[in-house]
Amino acid sequence: MSIATTSTADRAPRRPSRPRRTSPRGSAFDTIFEGLCFFAATALLASLGGVLISLAHDGWPAFAKFGLGFLTNSIWDPNPDHEVYGAAGPIVDTLITAIVALALSLPIAGGVAFFLVELCPAFLRRTIGTAVELLAGIPSIVYGMWGLFVFAPFFSTHVQLPLMAAAPPGSLMEKLVQGIPNGSGILSASIILAIMILPFMAATLRELLMTVPPQVRESAYGLGATMQEVVMKVTLPYVRRGAIGAVMLGLGRALGETMAVTFIIGNSHDFPKGIFDSGSTIASTIANEFAEASSPMHTAALIALGLVLFLITFTVLALARLLLRNQAKV
């Protein structure tokens, strides 16, 4: 009786052969599509880096001459005999107007969004929602002209003059409301900015709230939660990350707004001494003086202002990303 001998290779289990995958129709364009996507992403980064390098190069003469004083000094004198440029005033005014505008608009934008999603009757929801979206698309120069010709006279007559007259001499209130009662100033510009960014944030928050599944809200109501508890403990946490992003985008628009602020802020480079005092933001200073810059140092100072605004906006967006990352870990 013969015993058949088998080798080790014959006894080892064989792996199933992988089926050969055929290329689908049109797969030849995959490489081209990937290349185009890579080119688009690289071009975006290259453009961003080019803008940053260009601003730093062209604005370097101002930093080289004035040093840290360019950021801490508030004297802005384009006289060819002196040429002293300090960006502290526009920087402070930019931050003040943007933060005050955000503080004024955010509660109202949140209220509008919650009303449209939770409380608004069905026959009005589409109409009001469309109106909010239309307001978000109005050009900024229209807000500036409205602020100059309509809002400023009303604000001067019904707000500035009564508050200045009611302020006790020598009091803190008198210092806060000092200024020229012509309707323009830091507070007026902040209110115009708030009106501008309010529809944008309201529309974005409304779209975010509409992504909350109805089962989530109905479950909370079924457990006996009130509307306030549903909004604060269920709906808001559900869209928290997107809401933070919407708020930061609104703040970024307020920081870089130009024409609307230029019309109403008063265009003074000094530090504001009160809420009615005139001021100037970085964007309004560049818009007012860039076409009239008569010396290389004046041009370099304005470009350096643009670099500062670029860094401020980039820092705000970076903080927003960091905040979103921390919220994702919670």
Side-chain angles (χ1 to χ4, degrees), residues 196-279:
M196 282 187 56
I197 65 176
L198 191 154
F200 171 76
M201 290 195 299
T204 307
L205 291 174
R206 169 178 170 267
E207 295 299 325
L208 288 172
L209 293 176
M210 291 178 65
T211 62
V212 180
Q215 296 84 355
V216 174
R217 290 195 295 265
E218 295 300 331
S219 299
Y221 285 122
L223 293 174
T226 62
M227 181 176 296
Q228 179 184 357
E229 291 173 340
V230 171
V231 169
M232 301 303 297
K233 297 182 180 181
V234 177
T235 307
L236 269 182
Y238 193 92
V239 299
R240 177 173 50 192
R241 297 188 63 190
I244 293 175
V247 171
M248 289 303 173
L249 288 176
L251 179 60
R253 182 179 181 185
L255 286 170
E257 180 53 43
T258 304
M259 295 309 300
V261 176
T262 304
F263 274 95
I264 198 68
I265 198 170
N267 300 311
S268 172
H269 294 286
D270 297 329
F271 280 114
K273 301 178 179 62
I275 58 176
F276 296 152
D277 204 6
S278 298

Side-chain angles (χ1 to χ4, degrees), residues 53-318:
I53 294 174
S54 177
L55 291 175
H57 178 268
D58 295 340
W60 177 249
F63 290 112
K65 181 177 181 179
F66 302 107
L68 188 61
F70 182 78
L71 301 177
T72 59
N73 186 15
S74 63
I75 299 176
W76 187 275
D77 187 5
N79 190 332
D81 298 332
H82 302 92
E83 285 213 298
V84 178
Y85 299 103
I91 292 174
V92 172
D93 292 342
T94 299
L95 296 176
I96 290 176
T97 53
I99 293 174
V100 173
L102 185 64
L104 293 175
S105 61
L106 181 56
I108 302 176
V112 171
F114 283 119
F115 173 77
L116 290 176
V117 175
E118 300 285 348
L119 302 174
C120 184
F123 67 94
L124 287 177
R125 187 170 300 164
R126 183 180 298 274
T127 303
I128 299 178
T130 304
V132 171
E133 293 174 356
L134 290 176
L135 288 175
I138 294 178
S140 60
I141 192 172
V142 176
Y143 285 103
M145 295 176 63
W146 175 83
L148 179 63
F149 295 111
V150 178
F151 177 77
F154 175 86
F155 191 73
S156 173
T157 304
H158 297 87
V159 178
Q160 287 184 327
L161 289 175
L163 286 179
M164 289 181 176
S171 64
L172 178 61
M173 182 178 178
E174 184 186 27
K175 296 180 180 180
L176 289 176
V177 299
Q178 65 178 329
I180 301 175
N182 58 0
S184 63
I186 298 294
L187 184 58
S188 301
S190 301
I191 294 175
I192 296 298
L193 278 178
I195 296 174
M196 282 187 56
I197 65 176
L198 191 154
F200 171 76
M201 290 195 299
T204 307
L205 291 174
R206 169 178 170 267
E207 295 299 325
L208 288 172
L209 293 176
M210 291 178 65
T211 62
V212 180
Q215 296 84 355
V216 174
R217 290 195 295 265
E218 295 300 331
S219 299
Y221 285 122
L223 293 174
T226 62
M227 181 176 296
Q228 179 184 357
E229 291 173 340
V230 171
V231 169
M232 301 303 297
K233 297 182 180 181
V234 177
T235 307
L236 269 182
Y238 193 92
V239 299
R240 177 173 50 192
R241 297 188 63 190
I244 293 175
V247 171
M248 289 303 173
L249 288 176
L251 179 60
R253 182 179 181 185
L255 286 170
E257 180 53 43
T258 304
M259 295 309 300
V261 176
T262 304
F263 274 95
I264 198 68
I265 198 170
N267 300 311
S268 172
H269 294 286
D270 297 329
F271 280 114
K273 301 178 179 62
I275 58 176
F276 296 152
D277 204 6
S278 298
S280 64
T281 63
I282 296 176
S284 67
T285 301
I286 296 174
N288 280 325
E289 301 185 16
F290 197 84
E292 301 176 358
S294 57
S295 67
M297 185 55 64
H298 193 183
T299 304
L302 293 174
I303 295 176
L305 273 179
L307 176 62
V308 173
L309 180 59
F310 182 93
L311 294 178
I312 290 175
T313 307
F314 181 81
T315 302
V316 169
L317 296 179

Side-chain angles (χ1 to χ4, degrees), residues 28-67:
F29 296 99
D30 286 350
T31 304
I32 300 176
F33 180 74
E34 292 176 1
L36 291 175
C37 293
F38 178 78
F39 173 77
T42 307
L44 178 62
L45 292 177
S47 301
L48 185 64
V51 170
L52 181 61
I53 294 174
S54 177
L55 291 175
H57 178 268
D58 295 340
W60 177 249
F63 290 112
K65 181 177 181 179
F66 302 107

